[in-house]
């Protein structure tokens, strides 16, 4: 997983994301902020699953689907 | 005190760069007297007394060069000009012709040579983009409806139909292409450009070259909103190393001399950089770079006058330029001065 671009993002506490290399801006929620921070720390997909399961009341199937969807969104925006 | 004359003070909805340059100079460390060179007595810059100290009407650059030169010499005899910053594409060739004579009179300019000017022409973009290792969208010049049909058959749809100076429309069919072709030719004349549509974001970089391939600083933006003519209205500063490196290659390849604006598009899926245009002068949004710490007009003046100046490109990303409209009130006597006598003094030269 290429997190080089992710490490350059400016993310506010409220989930406002600014990509200084493209000028693009995005909004995410608390869960999204946490996932991005963990990705920036080098966590892989399985580690993200474990961390999220600990913190949220969600089934593994639901979490896996949502996490895959979020990571695909990051890829679509060239963040991963 | 340094006296700098600047053209393009038509701060209208399609603004010339002059007022942005003058504002950059007035907010710099330099003690500058600013002279506006206007082609129309209703150019707003003439009346902006907090920025333009004195304005003079100029003969159109499409007229004879001798009249143009005589007018500058007359202004020089009154103002003792140190520098002229030319900001309009149409007048640059005239200044190229008279630059050496102006220098003999003590007036300094930093403008491209005719060779540099021609190398960045729209019909040379393929060669230029190849030389600096980026792409440019496939395009064909059209001077007739038959040309347009052939061009769109070759390029395919969707494509961009562009005027020779301003305005561009995305055409999804031959019917739309024909409609835009007629509209643009009627408004701006020929040639009309048919260009392959590339989906992506548009970015601009402003810079200044010393004529030896060196940069005096670069500043990049993403266009956030544009006018109907495609001009930047709101923008955000970005730090994109690939764009800046592309500009360095451009400066080295052309040994560019003077201000410039590089317009590019970054393709959405591939991240490829496409060269759209090189404008041979500072853009109208140049004040944004100065406000972010890259004061290129100041650096240009210092370079010309052998004064120390910075060349770095260190600035903060995430600064947003908000362009807005405004009104001022002036007395009819000001209009009389500029329209009847060809000059208007807003602020007297200090004794």
């Amino acid at each position: 997983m290429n997190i080089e671009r992710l490490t350059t993002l400016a993310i506010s506490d409220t989930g406002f994301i600014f990509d200084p290399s493209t000028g693009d801006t995005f909004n995410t929620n608390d869960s999204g902020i946490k996932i991005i921070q963990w990705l920036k720390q080098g966590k892989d997909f399985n580690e993200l699953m474990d961390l999220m399961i600990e913190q949220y009341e969600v089934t593994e199937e639901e979490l896996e689907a949502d996490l895959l969807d979020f990571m695909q969104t990051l890829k679509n925006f060239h963040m991963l | 005190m340094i006296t700098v004359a600047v053209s393009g003070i038509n701060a209208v909805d399609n603004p010339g760069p002059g007022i942005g340059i003058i504002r950059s100079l007035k907010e710099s460390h330099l003690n500058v007297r600013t002279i506006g060179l206007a082609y129309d007595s209703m150019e707003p810059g003439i009346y902006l007394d907090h920025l333009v100290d004195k304005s003079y009407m100029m003969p159109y650059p499409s007229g004879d060069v001798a009249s143009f030169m005589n007018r500058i010499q007359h202004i020089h005899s009154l103002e003792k000009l140190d520098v002229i910053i030319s900001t309009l594409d149409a007048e640059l060739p005239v200044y190229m012709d008279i630059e050496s004579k102006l220098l003999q009179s003590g007036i300094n300019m930093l403008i491209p040579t005719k060779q540099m000017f021609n190398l960045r022409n729209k019909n040379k973009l393929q060669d230029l983009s190849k030389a600096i290792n980026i792409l440019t969208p496939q395009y064909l010049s059209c001077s007739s409806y038959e040309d347009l049909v052939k061009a769109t058959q070759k390029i395919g749809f969707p494509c961009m139909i562009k005027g020779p100076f301003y305005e561009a429309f995305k055409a999804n069919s031959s019917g739309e292409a024909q409609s835009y072709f007629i509209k643009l030719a009627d408004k701006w004349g020929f040639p009309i450009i048919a260009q392959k549509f590339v989906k992506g974001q548009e970015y601009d970089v402003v810079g200044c070259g010393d004529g030896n391939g060196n940069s005096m600083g670069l500043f990049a933006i993403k266009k956030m909103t544009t006018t109907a003519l495609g001009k930047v209205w709101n923008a955000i500063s970005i730090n994109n190393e690939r764009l800046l490196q592309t500009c360095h290659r451009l400066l080295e390849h052309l040994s560019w001399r003077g201000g410039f604006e590089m317009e590019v598009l970054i393709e959405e899926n591939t991240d490829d950089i496409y060269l759209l245009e090189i404008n041979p002068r500072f853009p109208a949004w140049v004040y944004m770079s100065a406000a972010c710490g890259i004061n290129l007009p100041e650096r240009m003046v210092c370079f010309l006058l052998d004064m120390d100046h910075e060349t770095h490109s260190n600035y903060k990303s995430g600064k947003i330029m908000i362009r807005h409209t405004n009104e001022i009130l002036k007395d009819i006597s000001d209009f009389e001065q500029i329209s009847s006598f060809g000059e208007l003094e807003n602020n007297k030269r200090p004794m």
Side-chain angles (χ1 to χ4, degrees):
Chain A
M1 202 162 4
N2 184 358
I3 59 163
E4 190 183 332
R5 195 134 177 195
L6 216 53
T7 59
T8 65
L9 298 179
I11 307 172
S12 76
D13 294 341
T14 59
F16 185 79
I17 301 172
F18 172 62
D19 184 338
S21 70
T22 64
D24 291 336
T25 55
F26 311 92
N27 276 298
T28 188
N29 57 17
D30 288 343
S31 309
I33 297 174
K34 281 181 183 170
I35 294 168
I36 291 172
Q37 283 168 345
W38 285 326
L39 284 168
K40 285 166 79 169
Q41 290 166 15
K43 309 284 188 212
D44 64 21
F45 186 82
N46 290 332
E47 289 172 310
L48 290 179
M49 285 288 292
D50 293 342
L51 286 163
M52 296 293 281
I53 283 283
E54 279 176 23
Q55 298 195 13
Y56 295 94
E57 286 184 18
V58 62
T59 66
E60 200 170 319
E61 291 74 25
E62 284 174 326
L63 176 62
E64 186 175 10
D66 288 349
L67 196 52
L68 283 170
D69 187 54
F70 185 73
M71 291 179 72
Q72 185 57 49
T73 302
L74 293 178
K75 283 179 187 168
N76 291 345
F77 291 122
H78 304 287
M79 292 186 198
L80 277 182
Chain B
M1 175 173 275
I2 298 166
T3 303
V4 181
V6 184
S7 62
I9 57 170
N10 51 329
V12 294
D13 57 344
N14 176 23
I19 291 303
I21 290 169
I22 287 172
R23 194 174 170 201
S24 302
L25 292 173
K26 284 290 188 184
E27 292 184 14
S28 74
H29 297 100
L30 302 173
N31 181 15
V32 178
R33 175 169 167 81
T34 53
I35 305 299
L37 304 177
Y39 293 105
D40 188 287
S41 56
M42 286 312 296
E43 290 189 21
I46 295 168
Y47 305 95
L48 299 179
D49 51 22
H50 61 296
L51 292 171
V52 182
D53 294 317
K54 189 167 183 180
S55 291
Y56 291 87
M57 293 298 295
M58 290 291 294
Y60 284 116
S62 52
D64 68 296
V65 177
S67 302
F68 198 86
M69 183 70 189
N70 288 341
R71 183 62 174 160
I72 292 177
Q73 291 293 11
H74 171 70
I75 296 167
H76 186 45
S77 70
L78 299 172
E79 300 292 344
K80 296 182 176 57
L81 303 176
D82 295 298
V83 171
I84 295 178
I85 301 181
S86 168
T87 70
L88 303 170
D89 296 12
E91 68 185 14
L92 263 172
V94 179
Y95 277 115
M96 289 170 194
D97 285 337
I98 62 174
E99 187 193 359
S100 58
K101 285 182 188 166
L102 293 176
L103 186 59
Q104 286 170 14
S105 305
I107 304 172
N108 298 275
M109 294 191 79
L110 195 68
I111 54 175
T113 63
K114 283 197 170 169
Q115 188 191 12
M116 294 173 196
F117 188 75
N118 291 332
L119 282 171
R120 39 68 45 199
N121 263 347
K122 282 183 180 176
N123 59 4
K124 302 266 176 64
L125 282 187
Q126 296 280 8
D127 295 338
L128 183 56
S129 59
K130 199 174 176 183
I132 60 172
N133 202 25
I134 58 172
L135 303 169
T136 194
Q138 184 188 10
Y139 60 90
L140 290 163
S141 294
C142 307
S143 298
S144 66
Y145 178 63
E146 288 71 28
D147 287 350
L148 178 74
V149 172
K150 285 180 194 165
T152 52
Q153 280 173 350
K154 193 167 183 182
I155 290 169
F157 292 101
C159 68
M160 299 301 294
I161 306 297
K162 304 173 81 169
F165 303 111
Y166 304 113
E167 283 195 283
F169 297 100
K170 183 182 171 188
N172 293 295
S173 65
S174 55
E176 282 186 9
Q178 184 187 353
S179 162
Y180 295 138
F181 177 84
I182 293 167
K183 183 177 179 176
L184 289 170
D186 186 46
K187 194 169 180 181
W188 302 110
F190 293 104
I192 302 297
I193 308 282
Q195 188 181 65
K196 186 178 177 64
F197 176 73
V198 180
K199 194 174 182 186
Q201 290 279 357
E202 287 190 30
Y203 298 88
D204 290 350
V205 185
V206 61
C208 189
D210 68 355
N212 292 309
N214 302 309
S215 165
M216 292 185 205
L218 298 169
F219 181 82
I221 60 162
K222 174 191 170 186
K223 295 179 183 180
M224 295 178 81
T225 55
T226 56
T227 66
L229 296 180
K231 302 293 165 188
V232 177
W233 192 255
N234 297 306
I236 187 163
S237 64
I238 61 161
N239 279 316
N240 187 309
E241 194 55 33
R242 287 169 66 220
L243 278 186
L244 300 188
Q245 288 304 322
T246 301
C247 261
H248 279 296
R249 291 200 296 276
L250 176 80
L251 282 168
E252 285 171 20
H253 176 68
L254 297 176
S255 295
W256 189 260
R257 189 168 181 272
F260 70 94
E261 178 192 29
M262 182 179 80
E263 297 189 36
V264 302
L265 181 145
I266 298 184
E267 211 269 328
E268 191 173 282
N269 294 322
T270 62
D271 251 7
D272 287 334
I273 299 176
Y274 284 80
L275 180 63
L276 298 180
E277 197 170 349
I278 306 288
N279 290 314
R281 35 84 192 154
F282 290 133
W285 56 269
V286 66
Y287 173 73
M288 184 183 182
S289 63
C292 288
I294 313 294
N295 195 329
L296 295 169
E298 177 189 22
R299 293 179 186 187
M300 178 193 271
V301 169
C302 289
F303 173 81
L304 286 169
L305 302 180
D306 285 328
M307 298 164 67
D308 288 340
H309 60 90
E310 296 169 320
T311 58
H312 69 80
S313 303
N314 305 323
Y315 59 88
K316 283 188 178 175
S317 59
K319 296 294 178 188
I320 298 179
M321 178 188 81
I322 309 293
R323 183 167 282 167
H324 67 106
T325 55
N326 200 0
E327 295 83 30
I328 56 167
L329 292 183
K330 303 295 283 189
D331 195 81
I332 190 68
S333 59
D334 286 347
F335 179 68
E336 177 196 359
Q337 276 296 315
I338 191 73
S339 59
S340 300
F341 303 103
E343 53 190 80
L344 174 64
E345 183 149 44
N346 288 321
N347 305 298
K348 286 200 182 305
R349 173 186 283 275
M351 297 303 285

